[in-house]
Amino acid sequence: MPDFTLHHMADATATLEQMRIGKLSSKQLVQASLDRLHQVNPHLNAATQVFNEQALAAAENPIAGPLSGLPITLKETYALAKEQVTVGSVRMPAIQCKEDAPVVERLKSAGAIVIARSNIPEFVMTAETSNLRFGRSNHPKDQTRVPGGSTGGEGALVASGVSPIGFGTDILGSIRIPAAFCGLVGFRPHSAAVNKSSVYPESGPYFETFNGIGPITRSVRDARLAYSVIANEPPALPATIRGLKLIAPKNYPFEAKDECIDSAYRAALEGLQTAGMVKHEPVLADIKTLFMNVPKLVTGEMVSVWKDWLSVDGKPFSIINETLRQMTGRPTVQPGFFLWLSLINGLYRPRKKTALTGIIETYERARKNYRTLLGRDALLCLPTIGMLAPKHGAMNRATLMKPGLNRQITAHTLVNMLDLSGITVPAPGFSDPKTGLVPGIMLASSPGNEGALLDAAAALEQTLL
């Protein structure tokens, strides 16, 4: 089985410098990216739409800017003028886009050239990138494994050397999971950091605050560069991390399946302290409550919305009819996503509106408390996720069919629950000896402190080589 990972490639920052000094042209770079895409996509099924002619035409005279002439890829959920967004559904009528999403406008104005859009799970609600419209995406190192989700197509494209920078969304780890699985940097800024207009699907009024837009990159400096382009407020200039507090929670309810994850985490804490951060070990007593409220919030706000999206020609979507289709091999909804509509909905959906209000109030109190804890001088550090990229099917079984506290996914979901900014950094120096897969370590900050977060991530990146 071919290994398509190309982590040795130059990052976007170095590539842009090569173009600036005339050693590489945008047309050469875009052509090379398209050639690589056509080589790997039959194996990875990561790209859903490729813009060959448009990209090469744009590369002839690229727009000046911080990303001038750089090829990029976007999650299929980003609106592009005169294209459609399907959100991976065969039932929901496609969304016809009249204009680019504002974040796409920013990227294009900065000189970036969109060469492709990437695959997703249906309605971006599972961590396996598979749907009935576009099929299943595969991990670039081992095609029997998942690249993660829901921004899994982007993870596969960046890790395989197609795209220097990919852009996605992260509502329950959807940027950081594929970045961690594919050995990349994945940055999820807080929900209000980037304009999310015309980036689909729109979630419920409170669940949408779990969602953030950000990049998947080959380096932390590329993440800073990309964020500086798309953010409403760019991060502060690089500064020292000496004296910052390093929050390493004591007795945190997290469990790693693979020893390399724990080894990388220990090295991360040691390296950041060597760089001058001061370790603190508070006990976070409410993690289980916050975690167990997630499916209640999601089903409480989203099931009726999902049913509306799935209704066709005025006929309401029927759980009973779809259950029969699932059982007889004739599904119209991706089986992984159907678990949200059936099993998870049955187990967790609040029966009273007051219950949902209480859950939201619990999150709001927690967000206030944790942002006070982090302030402007502290960063949280945890492993990103407690597993390496699993085989196809295993991710949904591990994350959707396991009632109760799932200790493998409590770390990355905390960022969404608290609406923090979070970044995962790969640990290639601690790769698993059996599979060669690379674990990820996560840092998180209070909203508005992304500069310090990126500074610490850059130091962490060197520690984990």
Side-chain angles (χ1 to χ4, degrees):
M1 182 176 298
D3 180 351
F4 291 108
T5 53
L6 285 180
H7 292 303
H8 65 278
M9 289 186 71
D11 66 0
T13 302
T15 301
L16 286 163
E17 176 61 16
Q18 290 294 300
M19 287 195 287
R20 188 189 68 80
I21 63 177
K23 288 189 175 182
L24 179 68
S25 71
S26 175
K27 187 172 183 180
Q28 289 172 322
L29 180 60
V30 168
Q31 185 64 68
S33 292
L34 290 169
D35 290 345
R36 180 64 175 169
L37 191 156
H38 292 299
Q39 177 191 1
V40 304
N41 205 50
H43 302 272
L44 305 183
N45 191 37
T48 61
Q49 190 175 15
V50 182
F51 304 105
N52 292 284
E53 294 181 4
Q54 301 97 312
L56 288 170
E60 289 283 358
N61 188 23
I63 294 172
L67 302 179
S68 182
L70 188 76
I72 63 168
T73 48
L74 305 172
K75 198 171 185 175
E76 198 260 4
T77 55
Y78 283 56
L80 287 178
K82 300 180 181 179
E83 305 296 341
Q84 63 181 23
V85 171
T86 70
V87 204
S89 176
V90 295
R91 286 185 61 102
M92 189 191 80
I95 300 166
Q96 306 299 324
C97 306
K98 294 182 179 180
E99 56 190 13
D100 292 339
V103 66
V104 177
E105 291 179 354
R106 281 203 173 197
L107 289 165
K108 289 183 176 180
S109 295
I113 297 172
V114 180
I115 62 170
R117 289 199 292 175
S118 59
N119 202 16
I120 55 172
E122 186 166 6
F123 294 153
V124 302
M125 279 305 298
T126 67
E128 293 202 19
T129 297
S130 179
N131 60 70
L132 299 179
R133 178 179 286 270
F134 300 117
R136 185 183 77 187
S137 295
N138 302 317
H139 195 286
K141 187 173 188 64
D142 178 350
Q143 287 83 70
T144 67
R145 297 179 182 272
V146 301
S150 62
T151 314
E154 288 301 319
L157 291 175
V158 176
S160 63
V162 170
S163 175
I165 304 179
F167 291 85
T169 59
D170 186 320
I171 200 164
L172 284 173
S174 294
I175 286 172
R176 289 160 296 137
I177 294 171
F181 281 178
C182 295
L184 300 165
V185 174
F187 181 30
R188 183 264 187 203
H190 68 92
S191 183
V194 180
N195 189 334
K196 293 183 289 183
S197 299
S198 299
V199 179
Y200 300 95
E202 297 177 3
S203 297
Y206 196 76
F207 188 42
E208 183 58 39
T209 69
F210 280 48
N211 193 23
I213 285 178
I216 293 179
T217 66
R218 296 176 189 154
S219 67
V220 172
R221 65 179 185 174
D222 282 1
R224 183 187 284 271
L225 171 65
Y227 182 63
S228 297
V229 169
I230 65 175
N232 295 328
E233 295 290 337
L237 295 174
T240 181
I241 61 172
R242 185 166 296 277
L244 292 178
K245 296 175 184 176
L246 177 62
I247 306 298
K250 188 176 182 180
N251 299 325
Y252 191 85
F254 176 87
E255 179 181 320
K257 287 182 64 177
D258 303 278
E259 171 58 29
C260 63
I261 298 172
D262 288 330
S263 297
Y265 183 52
R266 290 191 295 269
L269 296 179
E270 181 179 343
L272 290 172
Q273 289 176 86
T274 300
M277 296 187 72
V278 181
K279 184 180 177 183
H280 292 256
E281 298 181 294
V283 175
L284 310 183
D286 56 353
I287 302 303
K288 181 177 180 180
T289 298
L290 296 174
F291 183 86
M292 293 302 295
N293 277 339
V294 170
K296 298 175 185 177
L297 172 67
V298 175
T299 54
E301 284 200 342
M302 293 306 302
V303 167
S304 60
V305 176
W306 288 332
K307 287 182 178 180
D308 286 344
W309 292 346
L310 294 169
S311 297
V312 181
D313 298 329
K315 298 178 182 178
F317 176 75
S318 168
I319 291 288
I320 295 175
N321 289 345
E322 184 60 28
T323 299
L324 292 173
R325 286 183 168 275
Q326 297 277 327
M327 294 173 64
T328 56
R330 301 176 296 115
T332 65
V333 174
Q334 177 64 26
F337 172 67
F338 187 65
L339 289 171
W340 278 102
L341 291 165
S342 53
L343 176 65
I344 300 173
N345 182 48
L347 288 174
Y348 293 103
R349 189 177 186 185
R351 304 306 171 190
K352 297 181 180 179
K353 186 176 182 179
T354 53
L356 188 58
T357 300
I359 288 167
I360 293 172
E361 290 174 351
T362 298
Y363 281 125
E364 283 298 290
R365 286 193 297 271
R367 290 179 178 187
K368 182 178 179 180
N369 291 339
Y370 281 96
R371 291 176 187 181
T372 298
L373 170 68
L374 292 172
R376 301 289 293 184
D377 65 346
L379 300 172
L380 174 70
C381 184
L382 288 166
T384 307
I385 187 168
M387 67 186 87
L388 303 173
K391 299 286 188 177
H392 290 294
M395 188 65 185
N396 283 345
R397 289 194 297 272
T399 57
L400 298 177
M401 299 181 69
K402 187 178 180 181
L405 183 69
N406 188 336
R407 292 172 179 265
Q408 293 176 21
I409 61 175
T410 52
H412 68 261
T413 54
L414 182 63
V415 166
N416 303 91
M417 292 186 288
L418 301 178
D419 193 16
L420 305 175
S421 291
I423 188 168
T424 180
V425 178
F430 299 85
S431 60
D432 178 54
K434 294 182 180 179
T435 63
L437 295 171
V438 175
I441 302 298
M442 185 181 72
L443 293 169
S445 74
S446 56
N449 203 23
E450 290 74 29
L453 177 64
L454 291 162
D455 293 335
L460 180 61
E461 185 176 41
Q462 296 304 306
T463 293
L464 298 176
L465 290 176

